[in-house]
Amino acid sequence: MNLHTFYMILQQTLIITTFVIGMMMIIEYINVTTGGLMSKRLQKSPWIQIFFGAVMGIIPGCLGTYTIVSLYIHKVMSFSALIAALIATSGDEAFFMFSLFPSQALKITLILFILAVVVGFIIEIFMKDRFIGGANEHNMPLHNDDNGCHHHHAVKSNLKNISFVRALLIVGCISILILIISGFIDGSHQLNILMGGQSEDSLLHDMTDAGHHVHSHDHEHGGEADWIRYTLTFMFVVILGIVIAAKDHFLEEHLWQHVIKVHLPKIFVWTFLVILALTFVNMFVDVRAFVNANLFVVLLSAILIGVIPQSGPHLIFVILFAQGSIPLSILLASSIVQDGHGALPLLAESPKSFFISKGICAVLGLMIGIAGMIIGF
């Protein structure tokens, strides 16, 4: 690996990390400004609970899953609604899927949503115990400081009495917008090389043979590169507005302490290591040939790794799909079983619920994966 390749890996890591963190910031803002999503109406209808669980599950990241798990622990939501949320969610990996292959990500999200609702209904019909594992009932804590993220008349005051965190976030947003406008955060070249599974020489050869039109084996990445660039620009203009108008509490406790300090280092490191590892592997191993010859082993690996209640390890299957190295069915199986770290509170409060729910998701993922290999998708 030469220095140029290493530099491109760093660029690609920055592109993905910026996109993921930006989406996390906006979702955090929406979640806090709505004041939470718990409602007594949910307890009146298990069918609405299942639908609500699936909707919360397809929200990228873990906030939706955290919400459903918390409501289940407090016996507001049933086990069937919990399963719907866990099937629908792809955790933080959903951010990566929408950044790398948005059209396919939408298809995967729709499939997961339909599966979540159907399986949730089946469980509700046949399962008598609505709260498996003795989930404890507690009063839901209210965070009064979170009531409203901003005050429309406080913008001048925010800028006049600017805090260190607000100043740092404003500088960060402006810096990212400059990097996008300057072309440093572009992604078209890096996506074709690193996400398309091609070496730089082979890419240049394809461009020459195709009259300067880049040939992609399984996924076209030029559109995704433009989509990333335009979306990042819009996203960070919105985030800049949020940072200017929001209360200090929201910026410091939610954006800085939660999103930036907790998620950013982990996302950057995991992304860099996965891309670096796959780059090394592609130098010595024909990944596509290995996967095609060992699809069932790869499927089992995706399901077993999916049991891990942590974002990061599952990213390898997202990247492999982006490279065209694994079929849609294996990524679907991985997405069904894994839920990022959204189920970690469930493991802490009710291990029995955690392992039973993981078992159900694993069986469903295995069935979908095998069906996909038979049908050929």
Side-chain angles (χ1 to χ4, degrees), residues 92-105:
D92 292 343
E93 276 66 28
F95 291 116
F96 293 91
M97 289 194 287
F98 277 104
S99 69
L100 296 176
F101 38 87
S103 59
Q104 292 283 0

Side-chain angles (χ1 to χ4, degrees), residues 238-294:
V238 172
I239 293 172
L240 181 60
I242 292 173
V243 169
I244 292 173
K247 293 180 179 179
D248 285 334
H249 171 79
F250 173 75
L251 297 183
E252 294 174 7
E253 297 299 324
H254 292 271
L255 293 192
W256 182 255
Q257 293 293 337
H258 180 225
V259 177
I260 303 294
K261 293 183 69 174
V262 174
H263 289 286
L264 191 149
K266 181 173 61 178
I267 290 171
F268 184 89
V269 170
W270 268 108
T271 303
F272 176 79
L273 291 178
V274 168
I275 295 176
L276 181 65
L278 289 175
T279 301
F280 271 113
V281 169
N282 283 329
M283 289 180 179
F284 304 103
V285 179
D286 188 339
V287 176
R288 295 183 187 182
F290 174 81
V291 170
N292 289 333
N294 301 275

Side-chain angles (χ1 to χ4, degrees), residues 89-159:
T89 186
S90 296
D92 292 343
E93 276 66 28
F95 291 116
F96 293 91
M97 289 194 287
F98 277 104
S99 69
L100 296 176
F101 38 87
S103 59
Q104 292 283 0
L106 283 173
K107 181 190 299 184
I108 291 169
T109 300
L110 178 61
I111 294 173
L112 290 175
F113 179 80
I114 294 172
L115 285 173
V117 172
V118 171
V119 174
F121 283 171
I122 292 173
I123 291 175
E124 181 64 31
I125 292 171
F126 292 101
M127 187 168 285
K128 296 180 179 179
D129 189 355
R130 300 184 73 243
F131 304 100
I132 291 176
N136 297 319
E137 185 174 3
H138 306 286
N139 291 324
M140 293 285 288
L142 296 177
H143 302 281
N144 293 326
D145 289 339
D146 288 340
N147 290 335
C149 289
H150 64 274
H151 191 285
H152 295 292
H153 303 292
V155 174
K156 290 183 179 180
S157 177
N158 288 342
L159 296 177

Side-chain angles (χ1 to χ4, degrees), residues 2-313:
N2 56 37
L3 186 61
H4 181 60
T5 303
F6 186 80
Y7 173 73
M8 287 193 298
I9 293 174
L10 284 176
Q11 277 192 311
Q12 181 60 32
T13 302
L14 178 61
I15 292 167
I16 295 177
T17 303
T18 302
F19 187 93
V20 173
I21 291 298
M23 289 189 70
M24 281 185 170
M25 285 182 168
I26 291 176
I27 288 178
E28 188 85 8
Y29 177 78
I30 293 172
N31 184 68
V32 173
T33 51
T34 56
L37 296 170
M38 185 184 70
S39 172
K40 291 183 179 180
R41 294 181 180 178
L42 291 173
Q43 294 176 294
K44 297 180 180 180
S45 173
W47 312 113
I48 293 178
Q49 287 184 25
I50 293 167
F51 184 81
F52 179 69
V55 170
M56 294 298 289
I58 62 174
I59 297 175
C62 298
L63 284 175
T65 313
Y66 279 148
T67 302
I68 299 302
V69 169
S70 180
L71 293 175
Y72 173 74
I73 291 172
H74 293 87
K75 293 190 175 181
V76 176
M77 304 287 280
S78 66
F79 185 76
S80 57
L82 173 69
I83 288 294
L86 296 180
I87 290 174
T89 186
S90 296
D92 292 343
E93 276 66 28
F95 291 116
F96 293 91
M97 289 194 287
F98 277 104
S99 69
L100 296 176
F101 38 87
S103 59
Q104 292 283 0
L106 283 173
K107 181 190 299 184
I108 291 169
T109 300
L110 178 61
I111 294 173
L112 290 175
F113 179 80
I114 294 172
L115 285 173
V117 172
V118 171
V119 174
F121 283 171
I122 292 173
I123 291 175
E124 181 64 31
I125 292 171
F126 292 101
M127 187 168 285
K128 296 180 179 179
D129 189 355
R130 300 184 73 243
F131 304 100
I132 291 176
N136 297 319
E137 185 174 3
H138 306 286
N139 291 324
M140 293 285 288
L142 296 177
H143 302 281
N144 293 326
D145 289 339
D146 288 340
N147 290 335
C149 289
H150 64 274
H151 191 285
H152 295 292
H153 303 292
V155 174
K156 290 183 179 180
S157 177
N158 288 342
L159 296 177
K160 184 178 180 180
N161 304 296
I162 192 167
S163 65
F164 172 75
V165 170
R166 190 186 305 275
L168 194 61
L169 290 174
I170 289 175
V171 171
C173 289
I174 294 175
S175 299
I176 289 172
L177 287 170
I178 292 174
L179 289 174
I180 297 170
I181 294 171
S182 68
F184 182 83
I185 297 181
D186 176 10
S188 57
H189 188 54
Q190 287 75 27
L191 279 172
N192 279 305
I193 295 173
L194 297 173
M195 298 296 104
Q198 294 175 280
S199 67
E200 186 173 7
D201 291 339
S202 66
L203 178 61
L204 293 173
H205 183 265
D206 286 343
M207 290 176 67
T208 302
D209 290 344
H212 302 289
H213 174 73
V214 178
H215 172 71
S216 175
H217 294 292
D218 294 290
H219 303 287
E220 291 293 338
H221 295 285
E224 281 83 346
D226 291 336
W227 186 84
I228 291 172
R229 184 167 55 252
Y230 300 145
T231 303
L232 279 175
T233 302
F234 175 77
M235 181 186 298
F236 276 90
V237 168
V238 172
I239 293 172
L240 181 60
I242 292 173
V243 169
I244 292 173
K247 293 180 179 179
D248 285 334
H249 171 79
F250 173 75
L251 297 183
E252 294 174 7
E253 297 299 324
H254 292 271
L255 293 192
W256 182 255
Q257 293 293 337
H258 180 225
V259 177
I260 303 294
K261 293 183 69 174
V262 174
H263 289 286
L264 191 149
K266 181 173 61 178
I267 290 171
F268 184 89
V269 170
W270 268 108
T271 303
F272 176 79
L273 291 178
V274 168
I275 295 176
L276 181 65
L278 289 175
T279 301
F280 271 113
V281 169
N282 283 329
M283 289 180 179
F284 304 103
V285 179
D286 188 339
V287 176
R288 295 183 187 182
F290 174 81
V291 170
N292 289 333
N294 301 275
L295 275 181
F296 189 71
V297 174
V298 176
L299 173 62
L300 289 179
S301 299
I303 291 172
L304 290 174
I305 293 175
V307 177
I308 301 172
Q310 176 67 41
S311 290

Side-chain angles (χ1 to χ4, degrees), residues 314-329:
H314 324 290
L315 179 59
I316 187 171
F317 298 102
V318 175
I319 303 296
L320 285 173
F321 178 78
Q323 292 179 334
S325 299
I326 61 173
L328 176 63
S329 56

